[in-house]
Amino acid sequence: MERPSGPSRRRPGPPDGEANGRDGLGGRRLGGQQSGNGLGGQRSTGGEQPGLGGRRLNAQQGQSRQGLGGHRNSANGNPAMGSRPPADTPAPQGRPPQPSRRSQQQAPGRSEQPPQPMSRRSQQRQQQPPSRSEQRYAESRSVAPPETPSRPPAPGPYERGPRDEQPLRPRGTRSAERAPERPSARPVAPASERPYSALSPDRHDDSTAVYGASPYAELGPGAQSPDELSRGRRMQNRLRDSQAGRILANTGALNMFMNGEGEQLDSKSSPPRRSRARQGGGGGRDGEDGMPPQGYRRYLNYPRWGKAGVKRWLPSWKLVTGVFSFFALLIVGVVFWFYNSVALPAEDPDTLAQTTTVYYSDQKTVLGKLQVQNRESVELAQVPDYVRKSVLAAEDNTFYSNSGVNPTSIVRAVLATVSGGNQQGGSTISQQYVKNVYNQKELSYKRKLNEAVLAIKINRTLGKDKILERYLNTIYWGRGAWGIQAASKTYFNKDVSKLTKSEGAFLAGIINAPEAADPRDEDPTHAERAERRWGVVLDAMVGEGWLDASERAQMTFPKVIKEKTTQSTTGQAAYLMEMVKEEAAEAGFDEKALTTGGYNITTTFNKRLVTAGQKAVKEWTGDASKNLRVGMASINPSTGGVLAIYGGTDINKQLNQATKDRAQAASTFKAFGLVAALKDGVSLKSYYDGNSGKIIEGVKVSNFGNEKLGQIDLVKATAQSVNTVYVALNSEVGPEKSQQAAIDAGIPKDTPDLKDNLVNVLGSANVHPIDMADAYSTFAAQGVHRQWHVLTSIANGEDKEEVYTVPEDVTKGTRVFDKDVIADATYALQHVVTEGSGSYAKSLNRPIAGKTGSSTDNKSAWFIGYTPQVVTAVALHQVGKDGTSVVSLDGFGGFSEITGGTIPTRIWTSYMEAALKGKDVVDFPDPAMGGQVTNASPTPEVTQTPTPTVTETQTPTPTVTETQQQPTPDDTNNWQTSTPTTTETADPDVTSTDEATTTWPGQDDDDDDDNNPFG
């Protein structure tokens, strides 16, 4: 029964057959005399039917076709692969000649070509001695296995049947074949005695068929020499003899692998052994064609194959082009990556910060500036065209044509630096702007690369005009000026729009080194550099065609003003600026916004009146103690705006005495008791007991000097400041009504010691002078209260648009008292000046109403007076050596005792004389004399309980801090006052060299304001 054939089973056929037949590997019996079989092919007879994978062998024509992977054989007796040579044909010596690739690819039927002779290198490889591994393999096969009767005798070492019958070649065969030719090789057993496979034939049927017989059983004449085996075939042989190969043989996997790959691996197309040229040696050739070994490839053909001498080391144009393209693409990729990796950082806020300018009420005179940098931004349209071109000529004449980076300028700067010439800048205006705005100050190549990328991105984001505008507003021009507007005012004291061509060229010339080109410096080299740079800019403008040469020849160097000295942060301007900042913060503008926003702030302060108040204080306190504290506040009653204040001698040493320091109000609080009584229906014609030593609600009250004035009306009691009358009046009306009248007039509810007790009309509360001036302003405004304020408006610096104005309800005010009530109260307060303790103010020769006040032991002294146009409050107190405790006022100015009618009245009068100078005299409304007349009650008997004496001008001891406890009566009805505790800590300075700078130009100027409604 015949076995099925196929490439997956490679078992030899039975030994029966004709004389010249040989079975193919895994094929069937072969018959005929000249038959050739293919791998797994059918029986071939007559020598003309090829098996599968074989070629037709035509012995009759004296030629034979090669089998798969065989050699072309001619009719001279060279056997074709797959045919059997005659028995007497000697075995070939050495390796048979290697067929060329072209011969292998010839189509069947073509005429045979004579074999090509072997190269010298191939012959040398054949003569090499066997390796040690080959020798060991040959020794391991020296013992022959038991004979198998079913197989024919093994052929000679070079005898084999058709190629299709060739088994996998074991290792060591090559060494065994060469052993007889080399004396040094160990003897190898003859072919007939060579061993079979070590595998047992009974372990598995397939493995026995493949490996059970001797590997040389199928070899016949004309077989390939061992050196002709491909590397893949040798690897299969090693795999077969390994332990893993035996296991695979038992499973049949190895047979499948060999059947599918054997023919391909044994092909002559596989590359031969490496030559010296392949290993990178000299110009050796494989064969004679000078090309790399067959199947060998490398990515870079250098040194070049097939070239000798110098040409071998000269790269080809393909190599040069490829390398250049590779690095060009690499550079482009790196640039693209770096461009996208650089992002626009946050802008440095200082570079865009603008100076906030604070003006007096005339909107022309500068009170001060709040700034991080002295900068005033302007639009590009405000800068003349010739000034812009001056800057372009000096810094970047290709600004409108470059992309943000100028390679020519960079190369020129590098060459100048390397050659040792004058140092030049290669940065464009865009790069300078990026460096200033994005705080690119690091000195490194990476910073320059980032700067260049950012400049390109900025040019794609912003227009050229916008970049130039921002550049002009952000660069430093020297003398502390940032931006061209500040520079124009600093060097020429004019707006940038009024600069001449010569002045514009000067400013453009000093950009690169402003501190080294100030012509007014003491160093003469600075003036020389400034003039030289001025000429360079003009010449560059002529070269660019932006300036006529004849006009250039007529220009002269501009006159630069002398640098102004830094204004002191002390003086009254410091206190005024502090008030501006505080009120702006309440309006929603914090200090950061003020110092960087570039606002124009208009205040209510009148510069002339501020100066007048400062002069008045100095005039009357020149010989006073250094511990004297003077506070003054002046208000316009028709608007509530603060006209002037006197805050102290130095803001770094003293609090603002007008707004932050406090003193006991003393008798000035009697006005609120009077208004409360008039509002409650009491008439000014009512009479009360004015004798001293009266006990009212258990409290003994005395007048100043224990005066006994008898029955007096409220007008006289107000003029003489009679304590007993006002305490009795307060008891009759109710202390809570007096307290409420003070609050309605403008005294804050949280004022320390503002209580609803019996003696609150004597001024136990500790108040700010500005609060008392605000309350009396309600009287001057005929009962309408307007909250005091210092800001009129806040506008943007660029477009002048107002972003804040004083609320209308503040200027309009709120009526809190009836006109008749205030008219009667003002009538009574006028008598304080006409016939009372404030008589010194009569020198003004105009209607004045007011009230003096002195606390116990003269620890505070007040005078608050008003006209229909101006209200002013003056307060004095003195601190001890420790700077915190309140002590009695020392005498000065020709007075041994300081009361409200002495120094405070004189300071008030001196100030008001300047404030009302040239103003019309305005009368107060006539009194209404409303209310009900109340007769005085009988004078009560005076008890013998010891009590403190309360004088006309004395009230409980004043305190400076808001934590001062209010005096309260003790169990014996004596008036007790606790020891005052004062804490007077210096207020923080208005300026800081790190954050803000406050200047007050002309703070000591005494010139009158043209727009001052008060003179």
Side-chain angles (χ1 to χ4, degrees), residues 765-951:
N766 290 279
V767 293
H768 299 305
I770 198 167
D771 291 335
M772 293 299 295
D774 185 49
Y776 273 65
S777 294
T778 303
F779 303 156
Q782 302 301 312
V784 177
H785 173 251
R786 297 177 176 90
Q787 179 63 40
W788 69 268
H789 58 277
V790 300
L791 298 181
T792 299
S793 65
I794 300 177
N796 290 325
E798 297 182 358
D799 54 11
K800 310 302 181 182
E801 179 184 359
E802 291 186 350
V803 295
Y804 170 82
T805 56
V806 60
E808 182 180 358
D809 58 344
V810 173
T811 57
K812 185 178 181 180
T814 304
R815 176 164 295 281
V816 293
F817 301 116
D818 185 75
K819 291 183 179 180
D820 293 340
V821 171
I822 298 302
D824 289 346
T826 300
Y827 175 79
L829 292 173
Q830 283 182 272
H831 286 73
V832 175
V833 175
T834 57
E835 57 185 75
S837 56
S839 59
Y840 183 84
K842 288 190 301 182
S843 60
L844 295 179
N845 296 322
R846 62 177 61 230
I848 298 172
K851 186 70 184 74
T852 60
S854 300
S855 64
T856 304
D857 298 330
N858 295 331
K859 291 185 177 180
S860 65
W862 291 77
F863 180 71
I864 306 172
Y866 60 92
T867 67
Q869 298 103 324
V870 185
V871 179
T872 303
V874 179
L876 278 68
H877 71 275
Q878 186 171 326
V879 298
K881 294 182 178 180
D882 57 0
T884 57
S885 60
V886 178
V887 299
S888 298
L889 291 165
D890 294 335
F892 62 90
F895 297 95
S896 59
E897 184 180 31
I898 304 301
T899 61
T902 58
I903 298 299
T905 304
R906 283 158 175 76
I907 293 176
W908 185 93
T909 303
S910 296
Y911 166 78
M912 291 294 288
E913 183 178 3
L916 298 173
K917 183 179 180 180
K919 299 299 177 183
D920 295 336
V921 176
V922 180
D923 293 329
F924 291 111
D926 295 332
M929 293 297 178
Q932 183 178 359
V933 177
T934 303
N935 294 325
S937 60
T939 303
E941 295 183 2
V942 178
T943 62
Q944 299 300 320
T945 304
T947 58
T949 301
V950 181
T951 64

Side-chain angles (χ1 to χ4, degrees), residues 242-264:
S242 65
Q243 184 68 25
R246 297 172 184 175
I247 297 174
L248 291 174
N250 291 333
T251 61
L254 188 61
N255 293 343
M256 296 175 61
F257 173 75
M258 292 179 177
N259 291 338
E261 302 292 339
E263 293 296 334
Q264 184 178 0

Side-chain angles (χ1 to χ4, degrees), residues 270-289:
S270 61
R273 184 181 300 180
R274 290 188 181 182
S275 64
R276 190 189 313 171
R278 180 179 175 180
Q279 296 175 356
R285 299 171 180 267
D286 186 64
E288 296 297 335
D289 56 358

Side-chain angles (χ1 to χ4, degrees), residues 301-302 304 314-321:
N301 185 18
Y302 190 82
R304 299 168 65 184
L314 291 177
S316 64
W317 67 270
K318 293 181 179 180
L319 178 61
V320 173
T321 304

